[in-house]
Amino acid sequence: MDKPGSLVEVVHKGLDLLATDLMELKEKLRSNDPEIDEYLAKTKRALLDVVDFPQLAAAQLIPPVLTLVKTVADAAPAKHQAQMMAMARIADDAVMCYAKIAALPEPVRAHAAGWFDTHLPGTTELEWIMLIKAFGDQLATTIERYAKRATEGVPTGAPDAILTKAITAIGTTPLHKPRFTKEGIAKVLHDRLSVLNERDFNRRYIAYILRITRASRGESKENLNDLAYCIAADVDTKLGFCDGERMYLRDRNTDVSSCIHEAMHMLSSPAWKQALGDCLNEGATEHFSRVVCKQHNIKYNQNIYMWNVGVFTTIMDVAKLDQSAWEEAYFAGNVEKVRKAIVDISGEEGMQILLEKYQTDEQTARKWLEHCEEYQRTCVVQ
């Protein structure tokens, strides 16, 4: 028997309420009750409350009550079919997702349910529905990672110690950072690193991605659908990010190299990213991070932003610019020489590809490199 007030008991109560609301709604639909819209809204709220319980999967409670939504929808009069079928699709997506999670062996199931739970805070109804479906579709690729991680220990690191090493390494590397002295770097980065557990990191990262995407791309269904799949594919592999004046790392990723990468973002000029886009921003950030790591024999992962670094180093190799021009552009925002070099290499169309947004930076990088090869076959580049 479930303990009073336990999570499973709360879930059971939610399911019972939904079942009751569905039965009431079924009667109201049959009798064409004048207050039907109120009952439709009430049932939808109850449905979303139930869908907002990823613990259903952790507890292996695949609720048969969700299948009732489809039954009621099928019997609804024509004028209410659209609303009911929208609810049925929510239920179908949830059942599909929960069934997949519940079928996983422990401890993978607990990991996956925890991942799913991180999407709850701060998401709109449309975002949440899309994340459910995206997660289900991406589950096959994430199970492997969870299975591997379940057998690994979780390393921890003191934020102060990691940050001190990063600050020292950056400050003593001979990169031309026009806006910063060694002391200035320490001042900008001091006390700006948080090391978070999986749950807290995912919550912050998803809230950050949703916020910047709403601001830059709006809230159309198409954009949110792309974003949902991007998050589902990306959030679990993301090791760190920089949001404004704060850096975040996962507690299973306390490499100094990751901190250096995020610190570079904080030291870079906003004009660089604004003028040259996400793909080159990440490529340059990782390139300069590796310069620091190599200078101080700090290990780094060569697979991190591999495609972005490839695009950035391709441009560096072909463009006839001094190293100082790249550093001036990245750290001080003097980007005109770099922008002209990119246009010379790949034309205005190539520049636009780098500024467009795709689901992943790899897609952007692939498209730019393919365009660049084609462009150079048909143009004479001096």
Side-chain angles (χ1 to χ4, degrees), residues 204-236:
R204 282 193 180 272
Y205 178 65
I206 290 165
Y208 161 70
I209 290 294
L210 290 173
R211 187 180 73 247
I212 63 173
T213 303
R214 287 180 191 133
S216 64
R217 299 177 64 187
E219 295 189 38
S220 73
K221 187 171 182 178
E222 182 182 355
N223 283 341
L224 289 173
N225 189 54
D226 288 347
L227 177 65
Y229 277 86
C230 186
I231 288 175
D234 180 55
V235 67
D236 190 51

PDB file of all heavy atoms in Angstrom, residues 204-236:
ATOM      1  N   ARG A 204      18.270  24.495 -15.493  1.00  0.00           N
ATOM      2  CA  ARG A 204      18.800  25.817 -15.846  1.00  0.00           C
ATOM      3  C   ARG A 204      19.075  25.919 -17.345  1.00  0.00           C
ATOM      4  O   ARG A 204      18.806  26.939 -17.976  1.00  0.00           O
ATOM      5  CB  ARG A 204      20.087  26.105 -15.065  1.00  0.00           C
ATOM      6  CG  ARG A 204      19.832  26.518 -13.633  1.00  0.00           C
ATOM      7  CD  ARG A 204      21.094  27.079 -13.006  1.00  0.00           C
ATOM      8  NE  ARG A 204      20.858  27.487 -11.632  1.00  0.00           N
ATOM      9  CZ  ARG A 204      20.416  28.689 -11.273  1.00  0.00           C
ATOM     10  NH1 ARG A 204      20.157  29.590 -12.206  1.00  0.00           N
ATOM     11  NH2 ARG A 204      20.226  28.987 -10.015  1.00  0.00           N
ATOM     12  N   TYR A 205      19.629  24.848 -17.907  1.00  0.00           N
ATOM     13  CA  TYR A 205      19.977  24.882 -19.325  1.00  0.00           C
ATOM     14  C   TYR A 205      18.725  24.995 -20.201  1.00  0.00           C
ATOM     15  O   TYR A 205      18.684  25.793 -21.137  1.00  0.00           O
ATOM     16  CB  TYR A 205      20.771  23.627 -19.708  1.00  0.00           C
ATOM     17  CG  TYR A 205      21.116  23.579 -21.181  1.00  0.00           C
ATOM     18  CD1 TYR A 205      21.973  24.525 -21.740  1.00  0.00           C
ATOM     19  CD2 TYR A 205      20.568  22.613 -22.015  1.00  0.00           C
ATOM     20  CE1 TYR A 205      22.281  24.504 -23.093  1.00  0.00           C
ATOM     21  CE2 TYR A 205      20.870  22.581 -23.367  1.00  0.00           C
ATOM     22  CZ  TYR A 205      21.730  23.526 -23.894  1.00  0.00           C
ATOM     23  OH  TYR A 205      22.023  23.509 -25.237  1.00  0.00           O
ATOM     24  N   ILE A 206      17.699  24.206 -19.882  1.00  0.00           N
ATOM     25  CA  ILE A 206      16.476  24.244 -20.693  1.00  0.00           C
ATOM     26  C   ILE A 206      15.788  25.595 -20.560  1.00  0.00           C
ATOM     27  O   ILE A 206      15.309  26.168 -21.542  1.00  0.00           O
ATOM     28  CB  ILE A 206      15.544  23.082 -20.299  1.00  0.00           C
ATOM     29  CG1 ILE A 206      16.162  21.766 -20.770  1.00  0.00           C
ATOM     30  CG2 ILE A 206      14.152  23.259 -20.899  1.00  0.00           C
ATOM     31  CD1 ILE A 206      15.550  20.543 -20.167  1.00  0.00           C
ATOM     32  N   ALA A 207      15.745  26.141 -19.339  1.00  0.00           N
ATOM     33  CA  ALA A 207      15.148  27.469 -19.145  1.00  0.00           C
ATOM     34  C   ALA A 207      15.912  28.519 -19.967  1.00  0.00           C
ATOM     35  O   ALA A 207      15.307  29.407 -20.589  1.00  0.00           O
ATOM     36  CB  ALA A 207      15.166  27.839 -17.669  1.00  0.00           C
ATOM     37  N   TYR A 208      17.231  28.394 -19.990  1.00  0.00           N
ATOM     38  CA  TYR A 208      18.083  29.318 -20.752  1.00  0.00           C
ATOM     39  C   TYR A 208      17.806  29.211 -22.251  1.00  0.00           C
ATOM     40  O   TYR A 208      17.588  30.220 -22.942  1.00  0.00           O
ATOM     41  CB  TYR A 208      19.545  29.002 -20.439  1.00  0.00           C
ATOM     42  CG  TYR A 208      20.558  29.514 -21.431  1.00  0.00           C
ATOM     43  CD1 TYR A 208      20.830  30.875 -21.546  1.00  0.00           C
ATOM     44  CD2 TYR A 208      21.278  28.632 -22.242  1.00  0.00           C
ATOM     45  CE1 TYR A 208      21.773  31.349 -22.459  1.00  0.00           C
ATOM     46  CE2 TYR A 208      22.216  29.082 -23.135  1.00  0.00           C
ATOM     47  CZ  TYR A 208      22.465  30.443 -23.252  1.00  0.00           C
ATOM     48  OH  TYR A 208      23.394  30.899 -24.151  1.00  0.00           O
ATOM     49  N   ILE A 209      17.770  27.976 -22.775  1.00  0.00           N
ATOM     50  CA  ILE A 209      17.534  27.768 -24.201  1.00  0.00           C
ATOM     51  C   ILE A 209      16.157  28.279 -24.615  1.00  0.00           C
ATOM     52  O   ILE A 209      15.994  28.946 -25.644  1.00  0.00           O
ATOM     53  CB  ILE A 209      17.671  26.276 -24.562  1.00  0.00           C
ATOM     54  CG1 ILE A 209      19.141  25.828 -24.463  1.00  0.00           C
ATOM     55  CG2 ILE A 209      17.137  25.998 -25.963  1.00  0.00           C
ATOM     56  CD1 ILE A 209      20.044  26.477 -25.477  1.00  0.00           C
ATOM     57  N   LEU A 210      15.134  27.973 -23.804  1.00  0.00           N
ATOM     58  CA  LEU A 210      13.784  28.440 -24.125  1.00  0.00           C
ATOM     59  C   LEU A 210      13.723  29.965 -24.138  1.00  0.00           C
ATOM     60  O   LEU A 210      13.095  30.573 -24.999  1.00  0.00           O
ATOM     61  CB  LEU A 210      12.777  27.878 -23.121  1.00  0.00           C
ATOM     62  CG  LEU A 210      12.509  26.371 -23.217  1.00  0.00           C
ATOM     63  CD1 LEU A 210      11.630  25.916 -22.053  1.00  0.00           C
ATOM     64  CD2 LEU A 210      11.844  26.014 -24.536  1.00  0.00           C
ATOM     65  N   ARG A 211      14.401  30.585 -23.176  1.00  0.00           N
ATOM     66  CA  ARG A 211      14.361  32.046 -23.075  1.00  0.00           C
ATOM     67  C   ARG A 211      15.006  32.710 -24.294  1.00  0.00           C
ATOM     68  O   ARG A 211      14.437  33.610 -24.895  1.00  0.00           O
ATOM     69  CB  ARG A 211      15.071  32.503 -21.799  1.00  0.00           C
ATOM     70  CG  ARG A 211      14.926  34.003 -21.534  1.00  0.00           C
ATOM     71  CD  ARG A 211      15.623  34.427 -20.268  1.00  0.00           C
ATOM     72  NE  ARG A 211      17.061  34.443 -20.401  1.00  0.00           N
ATOM     73  CZ  ARG A 211      17.894  33.622 -19.778  1.00  0.00           C
ATOM     74  NH1 ARG A 211      17.424  32.685 -18.984  1.00  0.00           N
ATOM     75  NH2 ARG A 211      19.196  33.710 -19.949  1.00  0.00           N
ATOM     76  N   ILE A 212      16.206  32.250 -24.662  1.00  0.00           N
ATOM     77  CA  ILE A 212      16.896  32.919 -25.767  1.00  0.00           C
ATOM     78  C   ILE A 212      16.228  32.593 -27.104  1.00  0.00           C
ATOM     79  O   ILE A 212      16.258  33.394 -28.026  1.00  0.00           O
ATOM     80  CB  ILE A 212      18.407  32.578 -25.813  1.00  0.00           C
ATOM     81  CG1 ILE A 212      18.636  31.083 -26.055  1.00  0.00           C
ATOM     82  CG2 ILE A 212      19.103  33.041 -24.554  1.00  0.00           C
ATOM     83  CD1 ILE A 212      20.098  30.732 -26.278  1.00  0.00           C
ATOM     84  N   THR A 213      15.608  31.415 -27.196  1.00  0.00           N
ATOM     85  CA  THR A 213      14.935  31.055 -28.444  1.00  0.00           C
ATOM     86  C   THR A 213      13.661  31.861 -28.623  1.00  0.00           C
ATOM     87  O   THR A 213      13.353  32.335 -29.717  1.00  0.00           O
ATOM     88  CB  THR A 213      14.617  29.547 -28.480  1.00  0.00           C
ATOM     89  OG1 THR A 213      15.839  28.828 -28.313  1.00  0.00           O
ATOM     90  CG2 THR A 213      13.984  29.155 -29.805  1.00  0.00           C
ATOM     91  N   ARG A 214      12.914  32.035 -27.542  1.00  0.00           N
ATOM     92  CA  ARG A 214      11.709  32.868 -27.639  1.00  0.00           C
ATOM     93  C   ARG A 214      12.081  34.277 -28.074  1.00  0.00           C
ATOM     94  O   ARG A 214      11.385  34.910 -28.865  1.00  0.00           O
ATOM     95  CB  ARG A 214      11.007  32.928 -26.281  1.00  0.00           C
ATOM     96  CG  ARG A 214      10.299  31.647 -25.877  1.00  0.00           C
ATOM     97  CD  ARG A 214       9.657  31.832 -24.513  1.00  0.00           C
ATOM     98  NE  ARG A 214       9.188  30.576 -23.963  1.00  0.00           N
ATOM     99  CZ  ARG A 214       9.418  30.176 -22.722  1.00  0.00           C
ATOM    100  NH1 ARG A 214      10.120  30.927 -21.903  1.00  0.00           N
ATOM    101  NH2 ARG A 214       8.941  29.027 -22.289  1.00  0.00           N
ATOM    102  N   ALA A 215      13.197  34.764 -27.530  1.00  0.00           N
ATOM    103  CA  ALA A 215      13.604  36.137 -27.831  1.00  0.00           C
ATOM    104  C   ALA A 215      14.055  36.285 -29.278  1.00  0.00           C
ATOM    105  O   ALA A 215      13.767  37.293 -29.927  1.00  0.00           O
ATOM    106  CB  ALA A 215      14.729  36.562 -26.887  1.00  0.00           C
ATOM    107  N   SER A 216      14.751  35.260 -29.822  1.00  0.00           N
ATOM    108  CA  SER A 216      15.332  35.410 -31.154  1.00  0.00           C
ATOM    109  C   SER A 216      14.469  34.844 -32.270  1.00  0.00           C
ATOM    110  O   SER A 216      14.540  35.285 -33.407  1.00  0.00           O
ATOM    111  CB  SER A 216      16.708  34.727 -31.209  1.00  0.00           C
ATOM    112  OG  SER A 216      16.583  33.324 -31.002  1.00  0.00           O
ATOM    113  N   ARG A 217      13.620  33.840 -31.943  1.00  0.00           N
ATOM    114  CA  ARG A 217      12.881  33.162 -33.015  1.00  0.00           C
ATOM    115  C   ARG A 217      11.375  33.186 -32.838  1.00  0.00           C
ATOM    116  O   ARG A 217      10.635  32.695 -33.686  1.00  0.00           O
ATOM    117  CB  ARG A 217      13.351  31.708 -33.110  1.00  0.00           C
ATOM    118  CG  ARG A 217      14.821  31.559 -33.449  1.00  0.00           C
ATOM    119  CD  ARG A 217      15.240  30.112 -33.459  1.00  0.00           C
ATOM    120  NE  ARG A 217      14.560  29.351 -34.491  1.00  0.00           N
ATOM    121  CZ  ARG A 217      14.665  28.028 -34.620  1.00  0.00           C
ATOM    122  NH1 ARG A 217      15.416  27.352 -33.783  1.00  0.00           N
ATOM    123  NH2 ARG A 217      14.025  27.403 -35.577  1.00  0.00           N
ATOM    124  N   GLY A 218      10.894  33.707 -31.718  1.00  0.00           N
ATOM    125  CA  GLY A 218       9.458  33.737 -31.508  1.00  0.00           C
ATOM    126  C   GLY A 218       8.928  32.404 -31.007  1.00  0.00           C
ATOM    127  O   GLY A 218       9.685  31.494 -30.690  1.00  0.00           O
ATOM    128  N   GLU A 219       7.609  32.292 -30.935  1.00  0.00           N
ATOM    129  CA  GLU A 219       6.994  31.103 -30.349  1.00  0.00           C
ATOM    130  C   GLU A 219       6.084  30.377 -31.342  1.00  0.00           C
ATOM    131  O   GLU A 219       5.076  29.799 -30.961  1.00  0.00           O
ATOM    132  CB  GLU A 219       6.196  31.487 -29.101  1.00  0.00           C
ATOM    133  CG  GLU A 219       7.073  32.029 -27.994  1.00  0.00           C
ATOM    134  CD  GLU A 219       6.330  32.201 -26.678  1.00  0.00           C
ATOM    135  OE1 GLU A 219       5.485  31.359 -26.352  1.00  0.00           O
ATOM    136  OE2 GLU A 219       6.610  33.181 -25.986  1.00  0.00           O
ATOM    137  N   SER A 220       6.436  30.411 -32.616  1.00  0.00           N
ATOM    138  CA  SER A 220       5.619  29.684 -33.587  1.00  0.00           C
ATOM    139  C   SER A 220       5.734  28.187 -33.331  1.00  0.00           C
ATOM    140  O   SER A 220       6.726  27.709 -32.783  1.00  0.00           O
ATOM    141  CB  SER A 220       6.074  29.981 -35.014  1.00  0.00           C
ATOM    142  OG  SER A 220       7.303  29.325 -35.294  1.00  0.00           O
ATOM    143  N   LYS A 221       4.711  27.451 -33.746  1.00  0.00           N
ATOM    144  CA  LYS A 221       4.706  26.004 -33.539  1.00  0.00           C
ATOM    145  C   LYS A 221       5.903  25.346 -34.224  1.00  0.00           C
ATOM    146  O   LYS A 221       6.549  24.452 -33.672  1.00  0.00           O
ATOM    147  CB  LYS A 221       3.402  25.406 -34.071  1.00  0.00           C
ATOM    148  CG  LYS A 221       3.228  23.942 -33.748  1.00  0.00           C
ATOM    149  CD  LYS A 221       1.842  23.455 -34.106  1.00  0.00           C
ATOM    150  CE  LYS A 221       1.678  21.987 -33.733  1.00  0.00           C
ATOM    151  NZ  LYS A 221       0.332  21.480 -34.011  1.00  0.00           N
ATOM    152  N   GLU A 222       6.235  25.804 -35.420  1.00  0.00           N
ATOM    153  CA  GLU A 222       7.344  25.218 -36.177  1.00  0.00           C
ATOM    154  C   GLU A 222       8.665  25.418 -35.435  1.00  0.00           C
ATOM    155  O   GLU A 222       9.469  24.487 -35.293  1.00  0.00           O
ATOM    156  CB  GLU A 222       7.421  25.857 -37.561  1.00  0.00           C
ATOM    157  CG  GLU A 222       8.531  25.268 -38.425  1.00  0.00           C
ATOM    158  CD  GLU A 222       8.633  25.954 -39.775  1.00  0.00           C
ATOM    159  OE1 GLU A 222       7.793  26.823 -40.072  1.00  0.00           O
ATOM    160  OE2 GLU A 222       9.552  25.611 -40.526  1.00  0.00           O
ATOM    161  N   ASN A 223       8.906  26.639 -34.938  1.00  0.00           N
ATOM    162  CA  ASN A 223      10.141  26.910 -34.217  1.00  0.00           C
ATOM    163  C   ASN A 223      10.242  26.092 -32.944  1.00  0.00           C
ATOM    164  O   ASN A 223      11.302  25.558 -32.600  1.00  0.00           O
ATOM    165  CB  ASN A 223      10.251  28.402 -33.872  1.00  0.00           C
ATOM    166  CG  ASN A 223      10.659  29.226 -35.074  1.00  0.00           C
ATOM    167  OD1 ASN A 223      11.192  28.700 -36.048  1.00  0.00           O
ATOM    168  ND2 ASN A 223      10.402  30.513 -35.022  1.00  0.00           N
ATOM    169  N   LEU A 224       9.125  25.999 -32.209  1.00  0.00           N
ATOM    170  CA  LEU A 224       9.142  25.252 -30.957  1.00  0.00           C
ATOM    171  C   LEU A 224       9.333  23.768 -31.215  1.00  0.00           C
ATOM    172  O   LEU A 224       9.976  23.071 -30.424  1.00  0.00           O
ATOM    173  CB  LEU A 224       7.851  25.500 -30.168  1.00  0.00           C
ATOM    174  CG  LEU A 224       7.725  26.901 -29.575  1.00  0.00           C
ATOM    175  CD1 LEU A 224       6.343  27.089 -28.954  1.00  0.00           C
ATOM    176  CD2 LEU A 224       8.804  27.161 -28.538  1.00  0.00           C
ATOM    177  N   ASN A 225       8.795  23.266 -32.316  1.00  0.00           N
ATOM    178  CA  ASN A 225       8.983  21.857 -32.647  1.00  0.00           C
ATOM    179  C   ASN A 225      10.462  21.570 -32.927  1.00  0.00           C
ATOM    180  O   ASN A 225      11.023  20.587 -32.433  1.00  0.00           O
ATOM    181  CB  ASN A 225       8.133  21.483 -33.858  1.00  0.00           C
ATOM    182  CG  ASN A 225       8.120  19.987 -34.104  1.00  0.00           C
ATOM    183  OD1 ASN A 225       7.800  19.217 -33.205  1.00  0.00           O
ATOM    184  ND2 ASN A 225       8.490  19.582 -35.285  1.00  0.00           N
ATOM    185  N   ASP A 226      11.108  22.439 -33.717  1.00  0.00           N
ATOM    186  CA  ASP A 226      12.542  22.287 -33.980  1.00  0.00           C
ATOM    187  C   ASP A 226      13.324  22.329 -32.673  1.00  0.00           C
ATOM    188  O   ASP A 226      14.239  21.536 -32.450  1.00  0.00           O
ATOM    189  CB  ASP A 226      13.045  23.416 -34.890  1.00  0.00           C
ATOM    190  CG  ASP A 226      12.568  23.266 -36.333  1.00  0.00           C
ATOM    191  OD1 ASP A 226      12.064  22.169 -36.663  1.00  0.00           O
ATOM    192  OD2 ASP A 226      12.694  24.228 -37.098  1.00  0.00           O
ATOM    193  N   LEU A 227      12.960  23.273 -31.826  1.00  0.00           N
ATOM    194  CA  LEU A 227      13.661  23.445 -30.557  1.00  0.00           C
ATOM    195  C   LEU A 227      13.498  22.218 -29.664  1.00  0.00           C
ATOM    196  O   LEU A 227      14.450  21.775 -29.015  1.00  0.00           O
ATOM    197  CB  LEU A 227      13.118  24.679 -29.828  1.00  0.00           C
ATOM    198  CG  LEU A 227      13.720  24.937 -28.443  1.00  0.00           C
ATOM    199  CD1 LEU A 227      15.205  25.250 -28.569  1.00  0.00           C
ATOM    200  CD2 LEU A 227      13.002  26.083 -27.757  1.00  0.00           C
ATOM    201  N   ALA A 228      12.294  21.659 -29.629  1.00  0.00           N
ATOM    202  CA  ALA A 228      12.043  20.490 -28.796  1.00  0.00           C
ATOM    203  C   ALA A 228      12.964  19.335 -29.173  1.00  0.00           C
ATOM    204  O   ALA A 228      13.565  18.687 -28.313  1.00  0.00           O
ATOM    205  CB  ALA A 228      10.579  20.059 -28.909  1.00  0.00           C
ATOM    206  N   TYR A 229      13.102  19.100 -30.463  1.00  0.00           N
ATOM    207  CA  TYR A 229      13.965  18.008 -30.913  1.00  0.00           C
ATOM    208  C   TYR A 229      15.432  18.330 -30.635  1.00  0.00           C
ATOM    209  O   TYR A 229      16.226  17.454 -30.297  1.00  0.00           O
ATOM    210  CB  TYR A 229      13.735  17.721 -32.398  1.00  0.00           C
ATOM    211  CG  TYR A 229      12.541  16.827 -32.615  1.00  0.00           C
ATOM    212  CD1 TYR A 229      11.260  17.353 -32.719  1.00  0.00           C
ATOM    213  CD2 TYR A 229      12.682  15.446 -32.645  1.00  0.00           C
ATOM    214  CE1 TYR A 229      10.154  16.542 -32.865  1.00  0.00           C
ATOM    215  CE2 TYR A 229      11.582  14.625 -32.790  1.00  0.00           C
ATOM    216  CZ  TYR A 229      10.322  15.171 -32.907  1.00  0.00           C
ATOM    217  OH  TYR A 229       9.233  14.354 -33.030  1.00  0.00           O
ATOM    218  N   CYS A 230      15.787  19.587 -30.769  1.00  0.00           N
ATOM    219  CA  CYS A 230      17.162  20.006 -30.484  1.00  0.00           C
ATOM    220  C   CYS A 230      17.489  19.766 -29.008  1.00  0.00           C
ATOM    221  O   CYS A 230      18.534  19.214 -28.665  1.00  0.00           O
ATOM    222  CB  CYS A 230      17.329  21.480 -30.841  1.00  0.00           C
ATOM    223  SG  CYS A 230      19.020  22.067 -30.683  1.00  0.00           S
ATOM    224  N   ILE A 231      16.578  20.159 -28.119  1.00  0.00           N
ATOM    225  CA  ILE A 231      16.792  19.973 -26.687  1.00  0.00           C
ATOM    226  C   ILE A 231      16.879  18.488 -26.348  1.00  0.00           C
ATOM    227  O   ILE A 231      17.768  18.048 -25.614  1.00  0.00           O
ATOM    228  CB  ILE A 231      15.668  20.644 -25.868  1.00  0.00           C
ATOM    229  CG1 ILE A 231      15.817  22.169 -25.923  1.00  0.00           C
ATOM    230  CG2 ILE A 231      15.696  20.179 -24.413  1.00  0.00           C
ATOM    231  CD1 ILE A 231      14.701  22.925 -25.245  1.00  0.00           C
ATOM    232  N   ALA A 232      15.946  17.707 -26.900  1.00  0.00           N
ATOM    233  CA  ALA A 232      15.927  16.276 -26.602  1.00  0.00           C
ATOM    234  C   ALA A 232      17.236  15.606 -27.013  1.00  0.00           C
ATOM    235  O   ALA A 232      17.735  14.714 -26.332  1.00  0.00           O
ATOM    236  CB  ALA A 232      14.749  15.605 -27.295  1.00  0.00           C
ATOM    237  N   ALA A 233      17.798  16.046 -28.129  1.00  0.00           N
ATOM    238  CA  ALA A 233      19.038  15.449 -28.619  1.00  0.00           C
ATOM    239  C   ALA A 233      20.260  15.993 -27.898  1.00  0.00           C
ATOM    240  O   ALA A 233      21.274  15.312 -27.760  1.00  0.00           O
ATOM    241  CB  ALA A 233      19.173  15.711 -30.118  1.00  0.00           C
ATOM    242  N   ASP A 234      20.179  17.220 -27.405  1.00  0.00           N
ATOM    243  CA  ASP A 234      21.371  17.953 -26.975  1.00  0.00           C
ATOM    244  C   ASP A 234      21.546  18.070 -25.467  1.00  0.00           C
ATOM    245  O   ASP A 234      22.666  18.046 -24.965  1.00  0.00           O
ATOM    246  CB  ASP A 234      21.319  19.366 -27.590  1.00  0.00           C
ATOM    247  CG  ASP A 234      22.504  20.217 -27.202  1.00  0.00           C
ATOM    248  OD1 ASP A 234      23.640  19.777 -27.431  1.00  0.00           O
ATOM    249  OD2 ASP A 234      22.284  21.314 -26.673  1.00  0.00           O
ATOM    250  N   VAL A 235      20.440  18.153 -24.722  1.00  0.00           N
ATOM    251  CA  VAL A 235      20.570  18.554 -23.325  1.00  0.00           C
ATOM    252  C   VAL A 235      21.413  17.582 -22.515  1.00  0.00           C
ATOM    253  O   VAL A 235      22.195  17.975 -21.652  1.00  0.00           O
ATOM    254  CB  VAL A 235      19.185  18.744 -22.660  1.00  0.00           C
ATOM    255  CG1 VAL A 235      18.441  17.427 -22.531  1.00  0.00           C
ATOM    256  CG2 VAL A 235      19.336  19.388 -21.278  1.00  0.00           C
ATOM    257  N   ASP A 236      21.297  16.306 -22.797  1.00  0.00           N
ATOM    258  CA  ASP A 236      22.016  15.332 -21.989  1.00  0.00           C
ATOM    259  C   ASP A 236      23.506  15.292 -22.299  1.00  0.00           C
ATOM    260  O   ASP A 236      24.299  14.792 -21.507  1.00  0.00           O
ATOM    261  CB  ASP A 236      21.398  13.943 -22.188  1.00  0.00           C
ATOM    262  CG  ASP A 236      21.958  12.952 -21.179  1.00  0.00           C
ATOM    263  OD1 ASP A 236      21.929  13.285 -19.992  1.00  0.00           O
ATOM    264  OD2 ASP A 236      22.440  11.886 -21.592  1.00  0.00           O
TER     265      ASP A 236
END
